[in-house]
Every structure is written in C-alpha cells, then in structure tokens.
Amino acid sequence: MTKAMELPIHIRRNGLNPVEELARAREDEGVVLVETPFGAPAYVICRHEDVRQVLADPARFSSARTPFPGAEQMSADERAKMQAGQLIGFDPPEHTRLRRTLTPEFTVRRMRRLEPRIVEIVQAALDDLERAGKPADLVEHFALPVPSLVICELLGVPHGDRAEFHERSVRLLDISLPMEQRVAAQREDRAYMSELVARAQADPGEDLLGMLVREHGHDLSTDELVGIAGLLLLAGHETTSNMLGLGTLTLLRHPEQLAMIREDPAQVEPAVEELLRWMSIVQALPPRTTTTDVKIAGHLIPEGSLVICSLPAANRDPAFIDDPETLDISRGAAGHAAFGHGVHHCLGAPLARMEMRIAFPALLRRFPGLALADPSEQPNFRATSLVYGVHTLRVTW
C-alpha cells in the first residue's frame, strides 16, 4: 500500500484487536480528525455514548447528504441509479418508505421459519468441510458458503453465481484498491442485479425478490428494486461469513470459552452477542454529514463535515462495559453497537444471529478436536476491508 493510502486509525487492527492508538483517542479526545483514504477529512467518533447519539439523530447527522465512494466519477443520472434503493444512503422519510417494504420479512418470527433450512445448510457445509480433508480452509468450506446459500435462497439468487458476487463484494469493500476498480465493481454489481430483477418482474417467485415485485412493484421503481436486492446480497453474506470465520479464530484462541459453547446450549446466545461486541467486524458505519454545527465530546464539528462512527472503539469503551478488552461470553454484552443503532440498525440482525446461533455449536460439536492447522501461522486478515475478517483459516480436527 502506498503512503497516500495509509489506513486511517479507525480501520487499523492489531490482529483481533483495534490498535492502541484508537483506544487512546477514545480515552483522551473522544473525537479524532483523520484523512480518509479518498482524501476527505472526517471526524471519527470513538465513545459508545457519542456513537449512539450520532446514529440516533439523522436530522443532524445525515446519510443522504453524504456522497458514496466513487460518486464523483459518475454522471448525475448514474449516481441517481446507483443510489436508488440503498437504504443506508437515505434519511427519513425516504429511508422509512424503503425500509417499510422489507421490515415484515426480517422479524424474529419470520426468521424462525427459516431455521430448519439453515440447520440443513449448516450440516451440508460441515459435510463438505469433512470431505475436504484436514487441513482445510474453514472460510472456503464453511464460513462463506453457509450465509451465502442462506441469502441466495432468501433472495432467489442462483447459488452458482456465488463465487462471482463474492469476488465482486471483496473489491467493493477493499479500500486499498484504486477507486476505478471499486467503481467498476459497483457497475458490474448493478448490471448483475438488474438481470435478476428483470427475471423476477417477468416471473416473480416465492422468494424475497419475488415478494417485493408482487407486493411493492407499484411503489418501488426498478432502480430501487435493484438497489435493495444488491444491498441485501452484499450485507447478507459478507458480514455473517466474516463473523463465522473470525469468530472461530477467536474461540480457538479462547479454548475454555469454546468448550462452554460446545457443551452448554444456554451459552450460545450470550456468546454470539459478546463475539459481536468484541470483534466488531464492521469497522465503521457509512459516514454521516453534519447538517449544522454540533458539539461532541467537547469538540465543535462544523456543518458539512463528515462524521464516522468507530464501532470497535465504541464496543470496547470502558464507560459502556466493564473490562472491555476481555472476551467473556457469559455476559451477553447487551447494548453493543455491532449492528448499528437508530433508524439504520441492521435489518438483517435477526437472521445473522440465527445463523451464528446454529453454526457455531454445530461446528464445535461436529469437530470437537477443531484446531488451527498451524498455530504459528499468521492469519490472513482482511486488513484493508471495511468488513474485517480472515481471507482463509486453515484448520484441522
């Protein structure tokens, strides 16, 4: 990486942990001014209470006023098409209108209907991992295919296209790549999703995309359908797959807590919450733009400034939780910000929780001797990705 692309403080990690400089920024200033990889300055919010304040206030911290990466390389018409349907890029009431079309499909009750199928998908992935033979890449055979197949079936996306859209999503999230490559990935992604939406409009199935066409085709434009589908596909497999991969690495490095999850079903749900908090794989939520001068942690942030909420810093804030640097799966970590907060709180959180609640204990019981293939080997971390994780994780059993 060139010096010009040096990672800002909120993206840097030291293995499984945020860098010490981020913790110091949280304890000392609470807000730190950084230069983003794209040259624009931004204020990084580090404290848990302040992060929740920003995320709960779209009137002063606007998503809609914040340009998405690469927008400057597009015409006004292309920018509008790329933005359409992207819930994370809108404020109420437009955000409310878009989200309302999806909310009924992502309730805990609706997600429970998927549980038997998710169990089948997890077991099939475990079979594939075993067939691969040891040592095997846990990401390739388990962490990636489980959420990928779940979201593909939910949306009605051909699972045979998985490798293609995974490669594209990696490019979309890698901030070390030249913007031209990331813009190309955006265009490829939109073209692909446009084909899927056209098929659904011609013959809507029983999947989520078909439901949107049948029930909301009159109030959602084609561009909005394309944007919604693309966002769900990206978020639905990138985040959970990295939680499964990085979560397994974390548990292997905390064997006593791994054993608790394997042996006691009551530990699974609080363990998932603590893993979400402690790892905070989403490095930062999309930037907001201030609509007025605001004061946070004693710092005056001028109107029109970019504001970035650091989730790893917030979730390890000692003002939020005792002994935050210690992984303790028994505490559950209620109130963490791993899924965001406020109107943009992750729509798919019930689905992600269910996948992890099923997948982690199933993996650990199927392979009670699960271990790193080479404990001395440095994991291949996704160091420049907006969603942290591991590219590969070689395991044995």
Side-chain angles (χ1 to χ4, degrees):
M1 184 182 297
T2 65
K3 185 175 178 58
M5 283 298 297
E6 183 179 356
L7 291 174
I9 190 172
H10 63 288
I11 302 294
R12 297 181 218 151
R13 297 268 184 147
N14 179 17
L16 294 173
N17 301 303
V19 292
E20 291 182 7
E21 296 93 323
L22 187 61
R24 285 199 296 270
R26 180 188 60 225
E27 304 311 316
D28 295 342
E29 301 94 0
V31 176
V32 59
L33 185 63
V34 303
E35 183 175 305
T36 66
F38 319 113
Y43 292 87
V44 176
I45 313 301
C46 302
R47 295 174 183 164
H48 185 267
E49 181 180 352
D50 296 333
V51 163
R52 287 173 66 90
Q53 175 189 334
V54 170
L55 299 181
D57 190 355
R60 293 195 301 159
F61 302 93
S62 169
S63 298
R65 296 195 189 187
T66 307
F68 58 87
E72 70 282 354
Q73 298 189 17
M74 302 177 186
S75 66
D77 181 62
E78 185 178 18
R79 284 198 300 271
K81 287 180 179 294
M82 289 288 189
Q83 184 79 355
Q86 297 287 330
L87 281 75
I88 58 176
F90 288 97
D91 303 323
E94 186 67 3
H95 170 270
T96 309
R97 177 184 72 84
L98 292 169
R99 186 164 174 131
R100 190 181 295 126
T101 65
L102 293 167
T103 301
E105 298 302 313
F106 284 90
T107 62
V108 172
R109 181 174 58 85
R110 291 287 183 98
M111 289 300 101
R112 282 182 181 146
R113 296 182 185 176
L114 298 176
E115 186 165 359
R117 179 58 184 144
I118 294 174
V119 170
E120 292 177 356
I121 289 171
V122 167
Q123 293 304 320
L126 292 172
D127 291 342
D128 180 61
L129 179 62
E130 188 167 17
R131 280 194 300 268
K134 52 188 177 181
D137 180 9
L138 185 94
V139 172
E140 177 186 355
H141 296 285
F142 184 72
L144 182 58
V146 167
S148 175
L149 184 52
V150 170
I151 197 66
C152 281
E153 291 192 359
L154 184 63
L155 283 173
V157 175
H159 192 241
D161 296 344
R162 174 171 62 88
E164 175 188 344
F165 68 68
H166 173 63
E167 183 275 334
R168 208 164 43 235
S169 69
V170 168
R171 282 188 283 143
L172 284 167
L173 295 169
D174 189 347
I175 62 174
S176 72
L177 294 179
M179 185 52 68
E180 292 77 11
Q181 292 186 30
R182 296 181 68 198
V183 168
Q186 290 181 54
R187 289 169 173 152
E188 291 166 21
D189 190 63
R190 191 177 188 285
Y192 174 75
M193 299 311 301
S194 295
E195 291 181 10
L196 291 182
V197 167
R199 286 183 223 162
Q201 288 173 324
D203 183 20
E206 296 304 312
D207 50 71
L208 183 56
L209 197 49
M211 179 279 294
L212 286 171
V213 169
R214 284 194 308 274
E215 297 184 16
H216 300 284
H218 58 286
D219 53 26
L220 289 174
S221 68
T222 296
D223 286 337
E224 287 174 332
L225 286 168
V226 170
I228 289 171
L231 179 62
L232 292 177
L233 183 60
L234 175 66
H237 87 280
E238 271 298 314
T239 50
T240 309
S241 68
N242 284 291
M243 274 297 302
L244 292 175
L246 201 66
T248 301
L249 173 61
T250 298
L251 292 172
L252 289 172
R253 290 185 173 179
H254 295 80
E256 292 182 1
Q257 301 194 57
L258 181 152
M260 292 166 64
I261 296 174
R262 183 180 61 229
E263 296 162 11
D264 183 1
Q267 293 288 351
V268 176
E269 290 194 20
V272 165
E273 299 307 313
E274 175 69 347
L275 287 167
L276 283 161
R277 177 199 73 84
W278 195 80
M279 295 189 299
S280 296
I281 62 162
V282 177
Q283 310 267 36
L285 296 175
R288 269 65 166 173
T289 298
T290 53
T291 60
T292 185
D293 292 352
V294 295
K295 186 171 280 190
I296 297 180
H299 296 263
L300 180 65
I301 301 178
E303 177 183 354
S305 300
L306 286 181
V307 171
I308 296 173
C309 290
S310 170
L311 301 188
N315 282 333
R316 294 201 186 189
D317 186 347
F320 158 58
I321 198 165
D322 292 336
D323 194 16
E325 299 300 322
T326 298
L327 180 76
D328 178 3
I329 64 167
S330 65
R331 61 179 159 194
H336 65 74
F339 286 122
H341 179 66
V343 297
H344 288 289
H345 182 270
C346 178
L347 185 68
L351 177 60
R353 285 183 165 109
M354 176 175 288
E355 291 179 78
M356 288 184 280
R357 179 174 59 78
I358 293 169
F360 279 127
L363 170 68
L364 301 178
R365 289 170 192 154
R366 179 72 164 268
F367 302 103
L370 190 71
L372 295 173
D374 181 359
S376 66
E377 183 179 51
Q378 177 68 10
N380 185 14
F381 291 110
R382 293 167 50 124
T384 60
S385 177
L386 293 172
V387 179
Y388 196 59
V390 284
H391 288 288
T392 57
L393 187 66
R394 293 174 61 252
V395 296
T396 188
W397 51 87

